[in-house]
Amino acid sequence: MATSFDPTSHLLLTPEDPDAPARMARFRELGLGDRPVAEFDDFARRLAELTGAPFAVVNLVGEDHQYFAGLYATGSEQAVELSPADPAPGGMDRMMDRDHGYCPHVVVRKKALVLEDVCDYPRFAGNPVVDELGIRSYLGAPLLDPTGIALGTVCVVDQEPRPWGRQGLETIKSMAAELTEVIQRGVALPR
């Protein structure tokens, strides 16, 4: 039986994540999970301000979904009740399938990812967030736990192409390192 070869079939797949079970155990140890954290929302707001991006996220990547434990959308200055059932700032949903977006790639690679225009990269241009949310630009860095596991990411996105440049890369990496230290100290995190 002959099979046809599709040279692009591997391009749109979300990468395999062998660390997912260990990451879930680490979330339990740290008291993190599928619930918003007010301090993470504040962190996301600061990240958006530093980068000039309209959207910023502290994203905890699970086995089958991503959870935006911190989220900021420009123009959503109102207070947000923080419970899993409540909407996020600007009415955005805090949960997304694992095969949507670029953060799962950052978590598996354990390296920052800069996409000034996602449409320039065939592997990323076909991601559902391009058509469903109009995402055109992404800048993200992993939250690297001392155990060697990437817990998730901090990232910013825009619906327009953005020249993030070296300054953007340095900013996102330093902000990820800062938040990782905060998480490790357990500062301002609910238990």
Side-chain angles (χ1 to χ4, degrees), residues 63-86:
E63 291 180 287
D64 60 357
H65 69 278
Q66 304 170 66
Y67 188 78
F68 304 151
L71 179 60
Y72 176 76
T74 300
S76 61
E77 305 299 326
Q78 75 276 12
V80 179
E81 284 296 317
L82 295 178
S83 73
D86 289 334

Side-chain angles (χ1 to χ4, degrees), residues 52-137:
F55 305 99
V57 176
V58 175
N59 187 1
L60 302 178
V61 179
E63 291 180 287
D64 60 357
H65 69 278
Q66 304 170 66
Y67 188 78
F68 304 151
L71 179 60
Y72 176 76
T74 300
S76 61
E77 305 299 326
Q78 75 276 12
V80 179
E81 284 296 317
L82 295 178
S83 73
D86 289 334
M92 296 175 68
D93 192 0
R94 284 191 184 262
M95 197 171 297
M96 187 163 62
D97 289 340
R98 190 175 172 280
D99 65 348
H100 284 51
Y102 310 107
C103 291
H105 295 272
V106 173
V107 166
V108 170
R109 291 169 24 136
K110 298 180 184 174
K111 293 182 180 178
L113 179 62
V114 179
L115 301 171
E116 293 182 344
D117 185 342
V118 299
C119 294
D120 289 343
Y121 303 90
R123 178 178 190 144
F124 299 115
N127 194 286
V129 298
V130 175
D131 292 331
E132 294 173 18
L133 304 174
I135 300 302
R136 286 292 301 273
S137 186

